[in-house]
Amino acid sequence: MTAFELIRAFAHDATVGIVVTDPMIEPPGPTILYANIAFGWLVGRELDDIVGHSPRFMQGRETRRETLDTFHRALAAGERFHGYLANYRADGTKYRAEIDCRPLRAADGRIENFVAFEREVLRRIGRPTISAAGRYEPISESKDPLTEALRALAVFEHV
Ligand SMILES: Cc1cc2nc3c(=O)[nH]c(=O)nc-3n(C[C@H](O)[C@H](O)[C@H](O)COP(=O)(O)O)c2cc1C
């Protein structure tokens, strides 16, 4: 079983958005191969309108190019990207996404896919912080077993 197949098997009902792409990072890639139901809710689209497209469809006027360049460099280096991006739903509403994206490697080290865990966060009010992680908080904190497991795996944590 590949890592992608494993994710597909457990991600379906997860409350966190999960999206898997192919490893082609230059346009028109990466191409979304799988998205779970929670990802469809997060980005305000039917899964049929998500699979087959590049994650760039979520970008808009206030999506920071600098953060996207950091994202691109991490993908090209086969490293994890953890960051915050302004994204847009199909109806044009903007939301802030926390994204934890990692490469999925085959046994020989080749990157087969990328997987991202994504959730909506809000800016904390009145609390000055030094790091981006302290500046945002998730809109809802789920208590389901997968969320607990992701926490144990340090998904969304600074590692
Ligand atoms: C698994 C995965 C999920 C991604 N999710 C998002 C996303 O939610 N929003 C976004 O703006 N970009 C997302 N991206 C990043 C874009 O696909 C693209 O890599 C980014 O715009 C930087 O590359 P570019 O400089 O070629 O545009 C994701 C990439 C991957 C591999």
Side-chain angles (χ1 to χ4, degrees), residues 4-158:
F4 176 23
E5 285 164 350
L6 182 69
I7 287 168
R8 232 206 310 228
F10 76 68
H12 188 72
D13 298 319
T15 53
V16 63
I18 302 178
V19 60
V20 178
T21 68
D22 69 11
M24 312 304 174
I25 60 171
E26 300 305 332
T31 301
I32 297 175
L33 303 176
Y34 169 80
N36 72 345
I37 294 169
F39 189 81
W41 289 334
L42 178 69
V43 306
R45 287 172 196 261
E46 299 290 328
L47 296 182
D48 284 349
D49 297 332
I50 296 173
V51 174
H53 297 273
S54 153
R56 291 187 197 84
F57 69 74
M58 291 168 271
Q59 299 167 6
R61 214 167 47 84
E62 291 181 41
T63 312
R64 285 184 66 203
R65 190 62 243 177
E66 200 186 331
T67 313
L68 293 175
D69 289 343
T70 306
F71 202 155
H72 187 105
R73 278 196 299 275
L75 295 176
E79 289 168 1
R80 174 191 187 228
F81 168 82
H82 178 217
Y84 302 84
L85 274 172
N87 272 177
Y88 294 80
R89 301 197 166 91
D91 66 4
T93 52
K94 187 182 79 175
Y95 66 99
R96 184 151 305 267
E98 178 176 12
I99 301 176
D100 186 330
C101 183
R102 297 151 189 246
L104 298 177
R105 293 180 186 275
D108 62 6
R110 211 169 21 88
I111 296 175
E112 286 187 316
N113 301 97
F114 289 99
V115 59
F117 302 89
E118 304 199 11
R119 63 182 177 182
E120 183 173 357
V121 291
L122 293 177
R123 202 177 260 275
R124 284 198 169 114
I125 303 193
R127 231 188 293 177
T129 46
I130 27 170
S131 71
R135 213 177 304 142
Y136 302 107
E137 61 189 334
I139 55 159
S140 64
E141 199 63 82
S142 326
K143 293 276 178 281
D144 65 298
L146 179 70
T147 305
E148 296 299 322
L150 292 178
R151 191 167 298 128
L153 293 169
V155 169
F156 295 132
E157 302 292 326
H158 269 284

